[in-house]
Amino acid sequence: MLYFSPDYCLVFLPLTLILFFVTRQNLGNAAAKLTLIAGSLIFYGLWNLSSIPVLLASIVVNLCIVDTLFRYQKHRRAALITGLLFNVSLLAFFKYANFAIENLNLLGLDIAPLELFLPLGISFFTFQKIALLVDVYKQRVPRPTTLNFALFVTFFPQLIAGPIVHHAEMMPQFDDPARRSFNISNFNTGIVLFCIGFIKKLLIADGMGIYANFGFSQTTIGPFDAWCTALSYTFQLYFDFSGFIDMGMGSAMMFNITLPQNFLSPYKSANIQEFWRRWHITLGRFLRDYIYIPLGGGHRRVYLNLMATFVIGGIWHGAAWTFVIWGLLHGTALCVHRAFQKARFRLPGPLGIILTFWFVVVGWVFFRATTVTEAWMVLKAMHDPHVWKSVLADPHAFIGSRRVLDAKWIPFAALCAVICFAFPNTSEIMSRYRPAYWHIPALGVGTAAAVIFAVYVNAPPPFLYFNF
């Protein structure tokens, strides 16, 4: 079930909202939580029923680990290590087993690949549970109840593609008396957020995706087409991911739940460190707090720790060498940035933004390509001086050979660039928004019409981060 599907917008979300608040008013908060857990499992199961046993088994095992952490003080460290190994092993089995087999076969072995499916959202809810186990071990959070733990993991607006939420920042909201009644202002704000995300995804991201998909499907590519392809994916991923975040945050807001900010105009960043403070903020927070800092070692090992952290971040996104290279690139860039900081060297703001954006575009080529060879083909066409020398020598031949770049792409890409670099982000827009009752029916009818039109006419693809 997709956020922009008629089933979600016109049936699942309204029905779940009604059941949640009616149950809360008549049967109490615990019954309302149970209703929301059931609804979240239905939402998750509609993707793939086989994923539900994996999710439930993970919840049960992690609950046992949490219970051990509180009950047996002498065995807390062993319990934490067991919990971490279980979660990492579960993720590794489903996501990386066949990748490992594929690489072992390159050494001359003949191991048959396993017939596995990838449970949707396993990368996100695995990191979320790891964070909770560590927080419980360090006594940062009180002992969660079974009901709260299950809702923390399954809450559908953040289950499939984040944000990676901390127990302490979400679950107290469900027990806050001020949030127990239906709030027309929050509902209004949620609809507006949802509509902003809807526009980003279906009107911009999917449009740019057509160019990106076509470009990456080519066996040969020219310099103009290579830049068109790379920039198309750069904008597609930006609007697809931020659109998903807006729709998820909007859905949660209708339940009076505020999810943590996860996306703040990252392409405006003047350096790579700032980029990671703006892009997928909760992932960056997790990598910093639960991998980079625990690696320790002081200043002598800081560069090695940065590299290790972002290689892990790259592998977390996908089981392919392209993601490893993407992680290495970002780890290297952060090391260079840190060395510049120590030398008190700082690029002027506009130049820093341009160089950071160029680097991010290069990184996204590896992120999107299916093979290293495919990524190198695109990057070589983008930067090879011999290719550009040929362009200058005979521009008409290269312009005439364009297959991806067309007259429509240029104004479309220009619009995307203006939105990314000049417009306020969703958080800034919503800080100025003042709900009005008349917005609700107008937005509701408009959203319903747009959903039906988009789905049945254009058949939009799922969100890109569902792949990770």
Side-chain angles (χ1 to χ4, degrees):
M1 188 186 300
L2 296 167
Y3 282 160
F4 46 77
S5 70
D7 292 342
Y8 180 84
C9 294
L10 307 179
V11 180
F12 175 81
L13 183 59
L15 185 60
T16 307
L17 277 167
I18 292 169
L19 288 173
F20 177 73
F21 284 108
V22 168
T23 304
R24 181 177 261 180
Q25 289 295 320
N26 293 280
L27 300 177
N29 200 32
K33 290 178 181 178
L34 196 58
T35 300
L36 195 50
I37 292 169
S40 297
L41 290 175
I42 291 171
F43 173 83
Y44 188 66
L46 287 174
W47 283 96
N48 186 348
L49 283 174
S50 301
S51 297
I52 290 185
V54 177
L55 178 64
L56 293 178
S58 178
I59 290 172
V60 170
V61 172
N62 278 275
L63 267 172
C64 293
I65 299 295
V66 169
D67 183 67
T68 304
L69 286 169
F70 278 98
R71 191 184 295 267
Y72 303 103
Q73 293 297 315
K74 293 182 179 180
H75 305 291
R76 297 179 78 250
R77 184 175 179 82
L80 175 64
I81 293 172
T82 301
L84 296 179
L85 288 174
F86 168 77
N87 285 292
V88 171
S89 299
L90 188 70
L91 178 61
F93 175 72
F94 282 102
K95 196 165 186 176
Y96 307 110
N98 282 327
F99 177 61
I101 290 171
E102 178 184 329
N103 284 277
L104 286 172
N105 286 341
L106 294 177
L107 301 176
L109 301 177
D110 187 19
I111 306 172
L114 303 175
E115 294 185 6
L116 297 175
F117 67 95
L118 183 63
L120 195 64
I122 190 171
S123 298
F124 290 91
F125 65 69
T126 297
F127 270 17
Q128 196 157 303
K129 283 178 285 189
I130 287 174
L132 178 60
L133 291 181
V134 174
D135 288 347
V136 168
Y137 177 78
K138 294 188 175 181
Q139 300 180 336
R140 295 171 181 164
V141 294
R143 183 173 184 170
T145 64
T146 300
L147 204 59
N148 277 358
F149 186 90
L151 181 56
F152 166 67
V153 175
T154 61
F155 185 46
F156 69 87
Q158 53 82 49
L159 170 62
I160 294 175
I164 300 169
V165 183
H166 287 312
H167 187 278
E169 65 190 351
M170 184 172 77
M171 295 316 299
Q173 297 183 59
F174 283 102
D175 296 319
D176 183 357
R179 297 173 182 261
R180 291 193 179 184
S181 300
F182 178 77
N183 187 306
I184 192 69
S185 179
N186 286 345
F187 182 73
N188 191 328
T189 301
I191 289 181
V192 173
L193 268 170
F194 192 91
C195 289
I196 291 172
F198 182 92
I199 292 168
K200 287 180 180 179
K201 163 63 178 171
L202 274 79
L203 299 186
I204 303 178
D206 289 348
M208 271 294 163
I210 295 171
Y211 293 100
N213 293 338
F214 183 73
F216 278 103
S217 69
Q218 302 302 303
T219 53
T220 59
I221 197 166
F224 294 115
D225 281 350
W227 275 101
C228 171
T229 298
L231 288 172
S232 294
Y233 183 70
T234 297
F235 291 130
Q236 179 195 9
L237 187 60
Y238 180 99
F239 288 104
D240 189 279
F241 186 39
S242 64
F244 173 86
I245 291 167
D246 293 341
M247 296 172 90
M249 291 184 72
S251 297
M253 183 62 71
M254 297 180 200
F255 291 90
N256 299 332
I257 302 299
T258 302
L259 295 178
Q261 191 58 252
N262 208 27
F263 199 90
L264 289 172
S265 302
Y267 292 166
K268 295 178 182 178
S269 304
N271 57 67
I272 195 63
Q273 184 181 58
E274 184 183 354
F275 173 81
W276 275 102
R277 290 173 177 168
R278 291 169 172 263
W279 175 275
H280 209 329
I281 297 169
T282 58
L283 173 62
R285 178 179 68 177
F286 179 92
L287 293 174
R288 180 196 65 204
D289 294 344
Y290 299 95
I291 298 177
Y292 174 73
I293 292 176
L295 285 173
H299 295 292
R300 294 182 179 179
R301 288 179 51 188
V302 65
Y303 298 107
L304 179 62
N305 292 350
L306 279 171
M307 293 297 295
T309 299
F310 275 87
V311 168
I312 292 171
I315 295 172
W316 175 84
H317 280 92
W321 286 108
T322 50
F323 290 108
V324 175
I325 293 172
W326 178 81
L328 283 168
L329 284 173
H330 277 266
T332 302
L334 283 161
C335 289
V336 171
H337 172 71
R338 189 174 184 87
F340 280 5
Q341 279 187 318
K342 290 188 69 175
R344 299 183 183 278
F345 177 78
R346 185 178 180 181
L347 291 170
L351 181 58
I353 293 172
I354 292 170
L355 285 177
T356 302
F357 182 70
W358 166 80
F359 174 81
V360 169
V361 172
V362 169
W364 288 147
V365 172
F366 283 101
F367 201 81
R368 168 59 178 81
T370 55
T371 64
V372 175
T373 302
E374 183 180 85
W376 180 246
M377 176 192 72
V378 175
L379 289 173
K380 185 178 180 182
M382 290 167 63
H383 300 96
D384 192 336
H386 298 293
V387 173
W388 284 101
K389 185 178 179 180
S390 301
V391 171
L392 295 174
D394 190 5
H396 295 291
F398 276 88
I399 293 173
S401 66
R402 292 174 308 174
R403 303 180 67 186
V404 182
L405 179 62
D406 62 24
K408 296 178 183 178
W409 182 87
I410 296 173
F412 194 8
L415 174 63
C416 292
V418 169
I419 295 173
C420 290
F421 291 101
F423 276 32
N425 56 49
T426 303
S427 179
E428 293 166 337
I429 292 171
M430 296 310 298
S431 68
R432 303 168 192 166
Y433 175 70
R434 297 296 177 266
Y437 291 128
W438 66 267
H439 293 167
I440 296 174
L443 288 168
V445 172
T447 302
V451 165
I452 294 170
F453 175 81
V455 171
Y456 288 111
V457 175
N458 297 321
F463 291 97
L464 294 177
Y465 255 77
F466 286 7
N467 296 323
F468 312 131

